[in-house]
Amino acid sequence: MAHNMNPFDFVPFADEDPILKTMDEWLDYDDNLLTGYMDVQIQALSPVHICGHQKVNSKGEKIEKSYFYKNNGLNQIPGTSISGLLRSFIEAITNGWVSQVSPYYKKEKKKHAIGFQVVNSIKELKLNNDIVSVDSSIPYSLPEKITFPEKIERFDIASFLFGAISGTNGSTFRGRIAIEDANIASNNIEFNNDSYLLPDINNSAFMGGAHPSASSWWYQKAYKIQKDWLPKFIGSGYRGRKFYFHQDHKKCTSWYGNSNNWPKDLERPLYFYSIECLKAGAQSLPFRIYFSDIPKSILDFFVFSLIPGKRLRHKIGNGKSYGYGSIEFSINTIVIKNSDPFDTAPPAQYSINIDEIYNLVLHKHPNTFSDLLHYPSLNSISKILWYDSDLKHLFTYPLFASGHKITEDVLHAMEEEEINGDVISEFRKLQKETIYTSQSLKKLLPNSVNNREYNKDITKALSLAECVPASFLPTIKEKDLKRVMNNEMLQEYNQSNDILFIDDEQGKEIALKLFNENIRKALHFQVYREKSNSFSTINSRTYEQAI
């Protein structure tokens, strides 16, 4: 059965080392240092939700409303959020360091998750008494060359622009960019109970945040298989930098709300709560981005990062995986201040020709900011942040729970099998074309302790119901794993003691065969991605087309 592409994808980490320079080398990038500010606005292309106060029900188990972030009574997109968005984008397109990262993730007993270190976290683990909560045999998830260093002597371009803190002595290196908060007029903020909705689950977070795991080959590359009658698939090494696709928020949330797509689970019911949003088409009030002693070429590069192409747009805020948060920046004016304090001439307007900037990128002009770009990464991010106004592609998470769908054909098959009429009547009471989890069906269907034949017919009827297999979590039996292994891998598996070490290509080969046999579709991120409805179209996108 065809499936939608996952809501996010990765910009793979590059093989090359980042471009690093001393502060003086960055200042000497060209002969023209500029200081000033730009007046900028944000326009919402889809509703934007910056999470502020949340109202929960009396039991504290459900969010009822989520309000837009306020500061001193003003609706705001914080400058720190804008800086974080731009820094992540710049780090990605220049193969820079990864500055925004959790150092480690602890073992979670209830979820059978494996604890792992993203970077060398021994100090933090000891400080927090978490040393036993991670598996020290799993390599760090982040390549060392793009890990933010303890001692900083040379900087990537993002750290030159936004600043950095040295972990060795806590020294702070001042950035060259400062971004104000973007205030929003109150008439551009609204609740819409019919269309501004986010899905959630009682007493449990749904999806949409960062949940990297070493217990699968989703966020991380295939690393090893732990032998057991239910083998464990352990990953190591992040696939890259995560960014979310643009999509229609109404189509996306409606998809989750349709139990023909997402199984009805009585134990963990899905519900929707209202969110307050900057409405699509509305703009923020103008805000300023200040820059200090920036070489002209790097200022042009920063402008490119704000407006990275005719088809590329940024995302910000909450609900990005459900179509919220698509934005575009517009620059109203750029003002250059006099660096000479004795010069009394008024500040000058700085003219930007965005087409000239795009031309530098497209033609890779040497000795310009295009030297800073890592073009394979720019190409990868263009596939993800590509924005079409029709938003025809749908991106949804894989099914977590398997289920059974009751259709008229299923009921007819029950009659042909001469299943007890009372049993068929119970199934007729269920909603047609709805996927029910197995546990939910057991609750809905009566169980007769004293009538073994009746219960046998219930079991038989369930076997006739159309099965909708889970994609993400179903266990894989060792016999199924062995069946899909090639002869060489099977021999290694049989000869190994407890662990079979593999690389990501070998993991992909296994996952593809398990996908084709409908055993577990979402074991390996790339397999699930390449088998999705929209993959060929999205994979054909290029930065040349986007810019």
Side-chain angles (χ1 to χ4, degrees), residues 147-297:
T147 298
F148 214 79
E150 279 288 305
K151 185 178 181 182
I152 303 176
E153 295 175 344
R154 298 164 72 83
F155 301 80
D156 67 348
I157 181 63
S159 298
F160 171 72
L161 289 172
F162 295 100
I165 299 175
S166 173
T168 302
N169 54 18
S171 298
T172 301
F173 298 91
R174 178 178 66 89
R176 304 281 153 173
I177 296 286
I179 302 180
E180 288 184 338
D181 300 324
N183 292 328
I184 314 291
S186 58
N187 63 325
N188 284 329
I189 298 288
E190 65 179 10
F191 269 113
N192 186 326
N193 292 332
D194 294 326
S195 70
Y196 296 169
L197 301 169
L198 279 181
D200 203 5
I201 292 174
N202 280 13
N203 290 315
S204 176
F206 188 43
M207 293 170 292
H211 304 289
S213 170
S215 305
S216 72
W217 300 338
W218 196 250
Y219 274 84
Q220 310 221 41
K221 296 177 182 178
Y223 175 58
K224 62 185 179 181
I225 300 172
Q226 189 169 313
K227 294 176 72 172
D228 203 339
W229 72 283
L230 293 176
K232 295 181 175 66
F233 299 87
I234 298 168
S236 177
Y238 282 163
R239 295 195 175 277
R241 309 168 199 261
K242 186 173 78 169
F243 290 88
Y244 289 90
F245 292 100
H246 299 285
Q247 63 173 320
D248 186 310
H249 71 285
K250 289 183 182 178
K251 290 179 184 175
C252 181
T253 52
S254 295
W255 186 92
Y256 288 103
N258 184 346
S259 53
N260 192 24
N261 300 321
W262 197 263
K264 182 168 282 192
D265 190 335
L266 299 181
E267 294 188 329
R268 301 174 71 242
L270 182 71
Y271 73 96
F272 292 86
Y273 62 91
S274 299
I275 58 175
E276 191 177 32
C277 292
L278 167 64
K279 57 190 178 184
Q283 287 186 310
S284 72
L285 298 172
F287 62 96
R288 284 188 176 174
I289 299 179
Y290 296 92
F291 50 91
S292 174
D293 289 335
I294 287 186
K296 178 186 179 301
S297 292

Side-chain angles (χ1 to χ4, degrees), residues 101-165:
V101 66
S102 298
Y104 65 92
Y105 288 87
K106 295 193 295 184
K107 175 180 173 63
E108 298 178 65
K109 291 182 180 179
K110 290 183 179 179
K111 297 182 180 179
H112 305 288
I114 298 168
F116 63 96
Q117 295 181 73
V118 178
V119 296
N120 187 338
S121 314
I122 295 299
K123 289 181 181 178
E124 293 93 335
L125 287 165
K126 288 181 177 178
L127 183 65
N128 299 325
N129 200 27
D130 282 337
I131 199 76
V132 296
S133 69
V134 299
D135 184 340
S136 59
S137 71
I138 298 176
Y140 305 141
S141 299
L142 206 59
E144 185 177 359
K145 61 188 172 187
I146 56 170
T147 298
F148 214 79
E150 279 288 305
K151 185 178 181 182
I152 303 176
E153 295 175 344
R154 298 164 72 83
F155 301 80
D156 67 348
I157 181 63
S159 298
F160 171 72
L161 289 172
F162 295 100
I165 299 175

Side-chain angles (χ1 to χ4, degrees), residues 16 20 25 31 36 65 105 125 145 154 188 217 230 248 257 270 324 346 353 366 429-430 454 484 529 538:
E16 301 89 341
L20 304 178
E25 286 172 336
D31 297 331
K65 284 187 176 181
Y105 288 87
L125 287 165
K145 61 188 172 187
R154 298 164 72 83
N188 284 329
W217 300 338
L230 293 176
D248 186 310
L270 182 71
Y324 294 92
N353 186 328
K429 294 176 185 177
L430 301 174
Y454 181 91
V484 300
R529 166 180 170 265
I538 289 165

Side-chain angles (χ1 to χ4, degrees), residues 315-441:
K315 298 203 76 169
I316 197 168
N318 300 81
K320 292 190 286 288
S321 52
Y322 306 106
Y324 294 92
S326 300
I327 61 168
E328 66 178 339
F329 292 97
S330 59
I331 301 173
N332 300 334
T333 56
I334 299 180
V335 174
I336 305 299
K337 293 182 177 180
N338 297 316
S339 55
D340 184 352
F342 299 103
D343 190 340
T344 58
Q349 296 278 332
Y350 181 73
S351 178
I352 284 284
N353 186 328
I354 195 67
D355 289 326
E356 258 183 38
I357 288 176
Y358 293 159
N359 188 56
L360 291 177
V361 176
L362 290 170
H363 294 94
K364 303 181 182 179
H365 285 282
N367 303 316
T368 67
F369 76 80
S370 66
D371 293 340
L372 301 175
L373 295 172
H374 185 260
Y375 278 88
S377 296
L378 178 60
N379 204 53
S380 292
I381 208 168
S382 296
K383 299 178 193 299
I384 307 170
L385 293 182
W386 181 289
Y387 182 86
D388 277 325
S389 57
D390 60 3
L391 297 173
K392 62 183 178 182
H393 297 291
L394 186 61
F395 304 91
T396 56
Y397 287 108
L399 297 185
F400 274 61
S402 60
H404 299 276
K405 185 187 290 188
I406 311 304
T407 64
E408 284 298 331
D409 287 343
V410 168
L411 294 170
H412 183 65
M414 291 180 189
E415 290 171 349
E416 287 189 338
E417 290 291 323
E418 297 182 350
I419 286 176
N420 186 301
D422 292 338
V423 171
I424 297 175
S425 296
E426 293 297 336
F427 275 91
R428 286 194 179 279
K429 294 176 185 177
L430 301 174
Q431 294 177 23
K432 305 298 181 296
E433 302 298 331
T434 293
I435 305 171
Y436 292 93
T437 63
S438 299
Q439 291 299 319
S440 297
L441 277 176

